[in-house]
Amino acid sequence: MSDPSNGRPLPTPDPATEPYWAAAREHRLSMPRCEACGEFHFYPRPICPHCGTARLAWAEVSGNGTVYSFTVVQRAPSPAFADMVPYVVAIVALDEGPHLMSNIVGCSAEQVRIGMRVRVTFLDGGKELSLPLFKVQ
Ligand code: ZN
């Protein structure tokens, strides 16, 4: 398989984030969920930011969300990104609550709007990673 990241830096899973990346490799979006209050959170933390308990487990989320905020990158931060510009970096508010940073793909950067409904999609890439991205619903 060719490297769809085109030499761009990719995330490095660590023990705290490995469940997230393992689910992504199976094209599932998974987040830490508190077993006490039931709330999801992201990024992974050792205690629930909602109630403070350490009883957490990973659980799959729907992958559906809304564009909370975004910016359009017009100038490539390095030559490895030159084939991507313009591209959208967005904060997506998942229906389950957590917000995460990702890219909006499958439409032109000019089409992206705050409040737009999006759904997760996955880019299979190098280093045996699949990147969760979002496309317009
Ligand atoms: Zn909690």
Side-chain angles (χ1 to χ4, degrees):
M1 176 190 327
S2 65
D3 179 5
S5 70
N6 195 27
R8 291 184 286 275
L10 291 170
T12 302
D14 62 24
T17 62
E18 177 52 33
Y20 177 80
W21 297 113
R25 281 191 292 273
E26 299 172 354
H27 291 191
R28 297 181 297 107
L29 193 59
S30 186
M31 304 250 156
R33 185 177 195 185
C34 177
E35 294 183 324
C37 73
E39 295 287 332
F40 285 92
H41 67 269
F42 195 78
Y43 57 93
R45 281 162 268 196
I47 62 168
C48 173
H50 304 283
C51 75
T53 185
R55 291 191 297 122
L56 304 171
W58 287 80
E60 193 167 337
V61 294
S62 67
N64 296 316
T66 302
V67 175
Y68 178 80
S69 184
F70 72 98
T71 189
V72 179
V73 178
Q74 302 281 356
R75 180 182 298 184
S78 81
F81 291 83
D83 65 334
M84 289 180 62
V85 292
Y87 63 92
V88 176
V89 176
I91 302 294
V92 173
L94 294 173
D95 289 354
E96 291 83 359
H99 290 41
L100 74 161
M101 187 179 293
S102 185
N103 298 124
I104 307 298
V105 297
C107 65
S108 73
E110 293 75 24
Q111 292 175 298
V112 176
R113 296 287 181 269
I114 290 172
M116 180 178 273
R117 292 290 294 163
V118 291
R119 175 162 181 73
V120 73
T121 185
F122 294 89
L123 175 66
D124 294 325
K127 291 170 51 178
E128 299 183 0
L129 281 178
S130 292
L131 298 176
L133 308 176
F134 287 83
K135 61 183 179 185
V136 178
Q137 288 188 358

